[in-house]
Amino acid sequence: MSKKYVLALDLGGTNSVLGIVDREGKVLATSSFKTQAYPVLEDYVSTCASEAEKLISTYGCEHEIHAFGIGAPDVNYWNRTIENATNLPWKGVVPLTDLLEQKMHLPVRITNDAKAAALGEMLFGAAKGMKDFMMITLGTGVGSGIVVNGKLVYGKNSFAGELGHSTIRPENGRACPCGRKGCLEAYCSATGVARTAVEFLEKDDAPSLLRSMAVDEITSKDVYEAAVKGDRIANEVFRFTGKLLGESLANFATFSDPEAFILFGGLTKAGDLLMNPLKETYDKEVFENYRGTARILVSALKDAEAAILGAAALAWLDASGS
Amino acid sequence: MSKKYVLALDLGGTNSVLGIVDREGKVLATSSFKTQAYPVLEDYVSTCASEAEKLISTYGCEHEIHAFGIGAPDVNYWNRTIENATNLPWKGVVPLTDLLEQKMHLPVRITNDAKAAALGEMLFGAAKGMKDFMMITLGTGVGSGIVVNGKLVYGKNSFAGELGHSTIRPENGRACPCGRKGCLEAYCSATGVARTAVEFLEKDDAPSLLRSMAVDEITSKDVYEAAVKGDRIANEVFRFTGKLLGESLANFATFSDPEAFILFGGLTKAGDLLMNPLKETYDKEVFENYRGTARILVSALKDAEAAILGAAALAWLDASGS
């Protein structure tokens, strides 16, 4: 364990971002390329390897790379593969990890992006020193990574931690893109906030800055901007969202008695508009054993670096025995 | 690890049951005494030790005891103590484990009863060979023990796995003895079944065998007996209970992607009356990633032995390094 750096890859549907990261979570250099430009997996692997070599040689750290960590969607951690990804160019079971290991002669580790984010917070961010916490990512969808006794929870088929698809409104719940109803993601994602705004505008006659927009163009950012200007309906949207998220976290506590919930993603930009009703509801709703025990924190990592740091944390933690 | 037996103690509010158990989960001998007869902890410890010695000498296995496992309510696993138990004679923080170790010169391990039950199923019962499953105990209350990658989930303060107090009806939920509303326990426990029966009898005019009873005397067993005689309302009570339990398990799957749910306790005696609507609802409601992957099983241990076997499993598993 004497090497100084890891390689990290944030493999997204649009962009792939490579980085070199040290033990303290400093991102020394990054490079990015378009994921969709490589419909053939082997071409992607070659590009990835050559981009990594360029970064390494530019930085002059040829013999200092400990391992290579990847955060990606639809990962089967147990099989070390990407499986049936809907937003990536490669179909079926994708042996990216094995191919990169053969090409680069480095230990390569892969996990799902929300799980990588949890490891990033544990090693470099708001969960430093914690062994039991839940990472909740509030973006277009709602993702999660659950850490129990210092380890990510993967489960039998590597699908653990789909808390965005836990049902929070079992009766008359809102339709979720997953085909089910009442999922957390249908309410407490960026799209959920926009949907709540449209619903609130329809059932309330009050004037609102949002009424000047076409309902199908309202975004969570628009709702936030209206809310900070004092718009009543926009404020109610965040109060509602925070309340549902607070109820949900109170429920999640019954699973693993976490030390903290770490929130990440666009919605957290709403700050107190979201966090105040969230914390208030959590404190009110949580089972007595958990009252006052878990902190509700926002990620301590920079947005632009969080995904790379998650992949880097995986490389430091999961390849430590290599 | 060459010793042949463990001692096991099922410490209940009324009775304490001691047993000698072998590696295969055979209960060789048991003895029991009244917990409440020993309001002074040291007296309980002495009785426990002398009863254990009697068992051991009767069975002639003096040098063959590997460790001593205890299943009890309100255990703090990290501290090896019982804390603020409401149904035990000793107040505050109870160092039973340390006292027994000093007295008996054996490694002593303690965990909560529902968690011990999970270990019992893993070592001797329906979860044999599994690494990811959830144990759900359906008794007067609803308890749970969650196993992830072969280990019990304890969480920061040892309160993980209070799934009975996850909220399954966030809107207009039924009051739970915990002071909150809409908890799983308020619906899917023995008392929950009785409450559902009373509700259904009130809102429905249909004749029912249960109408001959005083509403505050109806038990889940009465509902079961009426249901097997074809009573429509009693059948609807189990359908409703099974449906809510199926919804709940579908939600629980999003945490840890388990290989199985193991159900234990009085309510499981209802058999298909409960299990059919439960499985049907689970299959319908579960998030697509989990569809068809988890088995829903009933405990494979005899009721009378399950608690002792849980404590024995703890001794075999947790003290294996001693």
Side-chain angles (χ1 to χ4, degrees):
Chain A
M1 273 276 283
S2 61
K3 294 184 177 172
K4 287 185 187 160
Y5 309 110
V6 292
L7 273 171
L9 171 65
D10 166 27
L11 202 182
T14 308
N15 292 310
S16 289
V17 183
L18 264 172
I20 298 179
V21 179
D22 74 8
R23 285 179 190 278
E24 278 68 48
K26 193 173 163 198
V27 181
L28 302 163
T30 62
S31 109
S32 89
F33 50 99
K34 295 283 168 201
T35 308
Q36 301 291 343
Y38 305 92
V40 176
L41 179 65
E42 285 71 14
D43 296 343
Y44 182 85
V45 169
S46 295
T47 301
C48 199
S50 66
E51 287 293 317
E53 275 155 31
K54 265 192 260 173
L55 272 185
I56 290 168
S57 85
T58 306
Y59 205 75
C61 54
E62 281 81 356
H63 304 289
E64 291 293 347
I65 304 296
H66 171 68
F68 187 176
I70 305 172
D74 302 298
V75 170
N76 185 319
Y77 177 80
W78 301 124
N79 297 345
R80 296 164 40 90
T81 49
I82 296 170
E83 300 188 357
N84 309 313
T86 44
N87 294 320
L88 299 180
W90 322 295
K91 300 301 150 213
V93 176
V94 179
L96 175 66
T97 317
D98 290 345
L99 293 178
L100 275 170
E101 253 177 17
Q102 286 159 26
K103 191 98 180 173
M104 301 182 66
H105 309 289
L106 275 174
V108 181
R109 300 291 181 268
I110 192 165
T111 196
N112 246 53
D113 19 32
K115 292 190 176 76
L119 296 181
E121 296 293 336
M122 186 164 71
L123 211 55
F124 307 124
K128 224 182 255 189
M130 292 184 192
K131 296 177 81 178
D132 291 276
F133 68 96
M134 292 194 187
M135 177 90 197
I136 312 282
T137 61
L138 304 166
T140 315
V142 174
S144 61
I146 304 167
V147 172
V148 165
N149 207 16
K151 305 253 182 218
L152 277 170
V153 176
Y154 282 103
K156 175 68 180 166
N157 300 297
S158 187
F159 285 128
E162 282 286 0
L163 301 182
H165 295 287
S166 69
T167 306
I168 64 165
R169 282 293 175 270
E171 296 170 304
N172 308 311
R174 196 181 270 181
C176 180
C178 79
R180 295 153 64 249
K181 282 183 178 171
C183 294
L184 174 59
E185 178 164 308
Y187 295 91
C188 298
S189 59
T191 37
V193 166
R195 288 172 74 180
T196 302
V198 173
E199 276 185 22
F200 282 20
L201 288 167
E202 274 169 12
K203 73 174 188 192
D204 190 323
D205 283 340
S208 168
L209 296 166
L210 298 168
R211 294 206 189 275
S212 62
M213 308 184 66
V215 291
D216 56 354
E217 286 179 358
I218 295 174
T219 65
S220 61
K221 190 159 167 283
D222 298 322
V223 184
Y224 169 70
E225 284 167 2
V228 293
K229 286 178 191 152
D231 190 88
R232 178 169 71 72
I233 290 183
N235 272 280
E236 278 169 11
V237 170
F238 280 104
R239 204 143 52 230
F240 175 79
T241 308
K243 178 178 174 294
L244 291 195
L245 199 49
E247 278 180 17
S248 303
L249 299 190
N251 256 0
F252 299 163
T254 65
F255 175 74
S256 66
D257 184 10
E259 180 171 358
F261 296 94
I262 317 286
L263 310 181
F264 176 82
L267 274 197
T268 63
K269 303 286 171 279
D272 287 348
L273 288 177
L274 183 77
M275 295 300 276
N276 285 347
L278 191 170
K279 289 179 177 174
E280 197 178 295
T281 307
Y282 180 87
D283 289 340
K284 184 165 155 269
E285 299 290 342
V286 78
F287 181 54
E288 55 182 4
N289 285 2
Y290 310 112
R291 198 157 287 149
T293 67
R295 294 151 75 196
I296 301 175
L297 305 169
V298 171
S299 163
L301 304 179
K302 286 181 215 160
D303 283 7
E305 292 189 349
I308 279 289
L309 288 176
L314 176 73
W316 283 123
L317 294 167
D318 244 33
S320 62
S322 308
Chain B
M1 273 276 283
S2 61
K3 296 183 177 172
K4 285 185 188 161
Y5 309 110
V6 291
L7 273 171
L9 170 65
D10 166 26
L11 202 184
T14 308
N15 292 310
S16 288
V17 183
L18 265 172
I20 298 179
V21 180
D22 74 6
R23 286 178 189 279
E24 279 69 49
K26 194 174 164 196
V27 181
L28 302 164
T30 61
S31 109
S32 90
F33 51 98
K34 294 284 168 202
T35 307
Q36 301 291 342
Y38 305 93
V40 176
L41 179 64
E42 285 69 16
D43 296 343
Y44 182 86
V45 169
S46 295
T47 302
C48 200
S50 66
E51 287 294 317
E53 276 154 31
K54 266 192 260 172
L55 273 185
I56 289 169
S57 85
T58 307
Y59 205 76
C61 54
E62 281 81 356
H63 304 288
E64 291 293 347
I65 303 296
H66 171 68
F68 186 177
I70 305 170
D74 300 300
V75 170
N76 185 320
Y77 178 79
W78 301 125
N79 298 346
R80 296 163 39 92
T81 49
I82 297 170
E83 301 190 355
N84 308 313
T86 44
N87 294 321
L88 298 181
W90 321 296
K91 299 303 151 212
V93 175
V94 180
L96 175 65
T97 318
D98 289 345
L99 293 179
L100 277 169
E101 253 177 19
Q102 287 159 25
K103 192 101 181 171
M104 302 182 66
H105 309 290
L106 273 175
V108 182
R109 299 290 181 267
I110 192 165
T111 197
N112 247 53
D113 19 31
K115 291 189 176 78
L119 296 181
E121 295 294 337
M122 187 163 70
L123 210 55
F124 307 124
K128 224 182 254 188
M130 291 186 192
K131 296 177 78 177
D132 291 275
F133 67 97
M134 291 193 188
M135 178 90 198
I136 312 282
T137 62
L138 304 165
T140 315
V142 174
S144 59
I146 303 164
V147 173
V148 165
N149 207 18
K151 305 253 181 215
L152 276 171
V153 176
Y154 281 103
K156 174 68 179 166
N157 300 298
S158 188
F159 286 129
E162 283 286 0
L163 298 181
H165 295 286
S166 69
T167 308
I168 65 164
R169 281 293 175 269
E171 296 171 303
N172 308 313
R174 195 181 272 181
C176 180
C178 79
R180 295 154 61 250
K181 282 184 179 172
C183 293
L184 174 59
E185 177 163 307
Y187 295 90
C188 297
S189 58
T191 38
V193 165
R195 288 172 74 180
T196 302
V198 173
E199 276 185 22
F200 282 20
L201 288 167
E202 276 170 11
K203 73 175 188 190
D204 190 323
D205 284 340
S208 167
L209 296 167
L210 298 169
R211 294 203 190 277
S212 63
M213 309 185 64
V215 291
D216 56 353
E217 286 178 359
I218 295 175
T219 65
S220 61
K221 189 159 169 282
D222 298 322
V223 184
Y224 170 70
E225 284 167 3
V228 293
K229 287 179 191 151
D231 189 88
R232 178 171 69 73
I233 290 183
N235 272 280
E236 278 169 11
V237 170
F238 279 105
R239 204 144 51 231
F240 175 78
T241 309
K243 178 178 174 293
L244 291 195
L245 199 49
E247 279 181 17
S248 303
L249 300 189
N251 257 0
F252 299 162
T254 66
F255 284 105
S256 65
D257 183 12
E259 180 170 358
F261 296 94
I262 317 288
L263 309 182
F264 176 82
L267 275 198
T268 63
K269 303 284 171 278
D272 288 348
L273 288 176
L274 183 77
M275 295 301 276
N276 285 347
L278 193 171
K279 289 179 177 174
E280 198 177 294
T281 308
Y282 181 86
D283 289 340
K284 184 166 153 269
E285 298 290 342
V286 78
F287 181 54
E288 56 182 3
N289 286 2
Y290 311 111
R291 198 157 287 149
T293 66
R295 295 152 74 195
I296 301 175
L297 305 170
V298 171
S299 164
L301 304 179
K302 284 182 215 160
D303 282 7
E305 291 189 349
I308 280 289
L309 288 176
L314 176 73
W316 283 123
L317 293 167
D318 245 31
S320 61
S322 310

